[in-house]
Amino acid sequence: MEKELKPADYLLGRKTFEIWEPYWPEHADFWPGINDGTKYVMSKTRKKSGWKKSVFLKSLADIKKLKNSKGSDIQVWGSSKLVQLLLKNDLVDELWLKIHPLTLGKGKKLFVNGAIPAAFTLTESAVTPTGVIIANYKRAGKVKTGTVGA
């Protein structure tokens, strides 16, 4: 579970980036390496930032090119519309889900309109003292259908 906050590169939607941008440069002691990782930002409107190592992407083709390039793993935090775009286009290799013990009735949906069928295997999980389930899933090839328990 500690992998989550280790230095990495990040793919963020514009709204998430604009929440992070004023905060993390001043609070890196809580998340060492956050300012050193490259922040790839999907945005049709933004082109630059004063936050070091920020790179702006404009299209799905830019994301595909980034995914197929050599380099470190890329994490996506928040960015619900971006995650839906990645799921719809089969660009997700791993999921880190945090399941909170509450229901709000309305809100953003992770798997909505257009997520392609994809199989994942649970590789790691933990439950926090407050009941939050943290689960790591990695891609597991093609979807296999069958009956329950098979």
Side-chain angles (χ1 to χ4, degrees):
M1 296 292 135
E2 293 177 17
K3 177 182 177 186
E4 251 184 306
L5 294 178
K6 287 193 176 175
D9 291 339
Y10 309 93
L11 176 60
L12 306 168
R14 180 192 51 80
K15 289 179 185 176
T16 300
F17 178 79
E18 288 178 348
I19 293 168
W20 284 29
E21 183 180 28
Y23 182 82
W24 285 115
E26 304 302 321
H27 297 89
D29 52 321
F30 176 73
W31 191 346
I34 183 65
N35 292 314
D36 298 325
T38 301
K39 280 71 67 183
Y40 296 98
V41 185
M42 181 70 159
S43 176
K44 294 178 183 173
T45 58
R46 294 279 307 259
K47 293 181 174 68
K48 62 181 180 173
S49 170
W51 192 10
K52 71 178 181 174
K53 297 184 86 173
S54 295
V55 175
F56 291 86
L57 308 175
K58 294 182 188 235
S59 69
L60 182 61
D62 291 340
I63 294 173
K64 287 179 179 179
K65 184 177 177 184
L66 177 63
K67 184 178 186 325
N68 292 322
S69 66
K70 296 206 183 285
S72 65
D73 287 347
I74 300 171
Q75 299 178 0
V76 178
W77 285 76
S79 307
S80 62
K81 288 183 182 178
L82 177 59
V83 170
Q84 291 170 354
L85 178 70
L86 297 173
L87 287 167
K88 182 178 180 181
N89 288 279
D90 198 19
L91 295 171
V92 176
D93 297 323
E94 187 173 355
L95 294 168
W96 281 88
L97 302 178
K98 292 181 183 168
I99 303 156
H100 293 260
L102 66 117
T103 57
L104 299 175
K106 292 187 178 185
K108 296 177 182 178
K109 310 278 189 274
L110 178 59
F111 304 104
V112 80
N113 301 331
I116 64 156
F120 290 85
T121 298
L122 180 67
T123 59
E124 189 176 355
S125 65
V127 179
T128 71
T130 59
V132 176
I133 299 169
I134 303 170
N136 176 230
Y137 295 92
K138 291 192 178 181
R139 268 313 276 273
K142 296 191 182 280
V143 173
K144 295 175 186 155
T145 58
T147 59
V148 176

